[in-house]
Amino acid sequence: MKKILYASFLLSITVSAQYTDFDLIKEVKVKNKGVVVSAHPLASEAGSKIMKEGGNAFDAAIATQLALAVVYPQAGNIGGGGFLVAVTSDGKKLALDYRETAPSKASFDMYWDKKGNANTDLSQYGRLSVGVPGSISGMFETMKYAKLPFSKLIEPAIDLAQKGFAITEQEADLLNRHQDDFKKHNKNKIVFINDKGWKAGDLLIQPELAETLRRIQKSGEKEFYEGKTAELILAEMKLGNGIIQAKDLKNYKTKERKALSFDYKGNEIISMPMPSSGGTLLAQMLKMASYEDLSKYQPNSAEAVQIMVEAERRAYADRAEYMGDPDFTEDKTQMLISDEYLKNRWKSYNSNLATPSKDVGKIVNQPKESMETTHISILDKFGNAVSITTTLNGYYGSKTVVSGAGFFLNNEMDDFSIKPGVPNMFGAVGGEANKIEPGKRMLSSMTPTIVLKDGKVKIVVGTPGGTTIPTSVFQAIVGVIDFKQNANFSINTPKFHHQWLPEVVKVEYDFPETTIKTLEKKSYKFEKIKQIGKTEIILVDDNQNIHAVADGRGDDSVAVE
């Protein structure tokens, strides 16, 4: 625990490079200033500079996302999708859904072999795994709330792609681990392959991506979905077994949905509705945990962890059965988050013993989880707050780069139920509600969230991490509201995660042994893993002092206007 927390207090670590000297800033305390927290210092700086030049949080959100598409290619993207939750300075609550969609040629059995067995390699790698990208559409939809022209917001990303930037040690290691995947799933040369091996400080220059961004700068959203970039995407599909067609790109639209809002101990939680399971899971977990009043216990104590794990177990069982795209399946959110339903669900809670997962759903063997996605938290001096989680799904998505355009395509089709009862790459089981259908948006765990107190922004939070996302946001909010932790401790305290199946609680290496041993006596099983998520948080106190913290687990960084 001490090691992670100590790292989080290092305020400035200088990384030297040919063009991009930059600082990793883990924590700032300011007032009346805009702040951006993201997975990469250059992306955070891009957003903060836009605010210095007159932009608001929405301008910064667009600039930061575009910069992440350049400097954080494993998850930042223009070839994927995401969710935006925001609260404007005049109190409007927004939820933008630019999740990818299934192509028109998609079918419920498209990943089955002749014997009816699911082939998850096809849903996780290469061109057939790609959903219709939504990120560019989402950014242009966000422009409704921005102040500056898009041409200005995209300029930092173009500059970074054209001139290059020094990669960090973590980025070099990740690129090196995926070299074989890149070679297997790309027929043309791509800049991410380095036969000599990547090392920290190497310059990554992306001229094809720079040209793509310039075309979008000049011709707007239509360029991506109907222009030369669209033509290049379609040509890439034809190099393999991809099924995205011109009409799929042309017909893609971001959807503005009603933000999910609920009360937790006098705080209004604003999160993402379906097709994200995140907001619903968060509401379920917080409400069930409230029946036991976590504030009586210490963070990561056996008592608190047991209550939270059991809330997670019941919520994730519901995820598999009920949750999917509300345009294709009945949205049962209000029933699932009602006190009547949840109090009945909680009746089986036993403080003396773990609840067997078979008592809340059918057991299915599942693979191990992986990390993915990236999150941005932004607050401006005007009072606008934006929380965005965006993704390619797995690291580098499908591992396929659009030839001539320079960006990775997602492997988001794997987030559908490939076959009812078969888990995806993150271990999440789905049923009929999340089966593949043309034009449908796949279920997600992304949980961009904003917390209000008396109508004012109190917390802006989110994280990557697949199915660990909702539980990490759950722990961050509980940390602040119930355990009275500051922003730093609320995200850097060792995390845990349970998702109904498999029947194991995952914990970070430095999780308290005393808690583990106590709960093992109550029949809980544990698995230690390196890390869970990379949470980005902004916390505002009653005097409007801002405390912004980037997760200590990665290269995440804060930038100030």
Side-chain angles (χ1 to χ4, degrees), residues 211-230:
E211 285 303 310
T212 297
L213 296 173
R214 282 196 186 94
R215 290 194 302 271
I216 296 170
Q217 182 185 41
K218 180 180 179 180
S219 303
E221 180 180 0
K222 194 171 183 178
E223 156 56 30
F224 186 89
Y225 292 99
E226 298 181 56
K228 182 177 179 180
T229 305

Side-chain angles (χ1 to χ4, degrees), residues 12-42:
S12 180
I13 308 168
T14 299
V15 181
S16 185
Q18 180 179 338
Y19 170 74
T20 53
D21 290 351
F22 55 86
D23 290 336
L24 280 180
I25 300 174
K26 288 296 182 183
E27 180 178 12
V28 298
K29 294 181 179 180
V30 294
K31 192 169 185 175
N32 299 322
K33 292 278 188 179
V35 290
V36 181
V37 194
S38 82
H40 198 285
L42 292 173

Side-chain angles (χ1 to χ4, degrees), residues 463-511:
T463 182
T467 47
T468 71
I469 293 173
T471 59
S472 293
V473 174
F474 175 37
Q475 288 168 66
I477 291 174
V478 165
V480 172
I481 294 175
D482 290 280
F483 301 143
K484 309 302 180 187
Q485 292 178 314
N486 66 24
N488 201 320
F489 280 86
S490 72
I491 66 169
N492 285 306
T493 295
K495 292 194 182 87
F496 61 93
H497 168 75
H498 180 63
Q499 61 178 57
W500 171 52
L501 297 174
E503 198 158 0
V504 63
V505 181
K506 296 188 177 184
V507 297
E508 293 182 318
Y509 287 143
D510 48 357
F511 196 79

Side-chain angles (χ1 to χ4, degrees), residues 193 270 365 495:
I193 294 176
I270 314 295
N365 290 326
K495 292 194 182 87

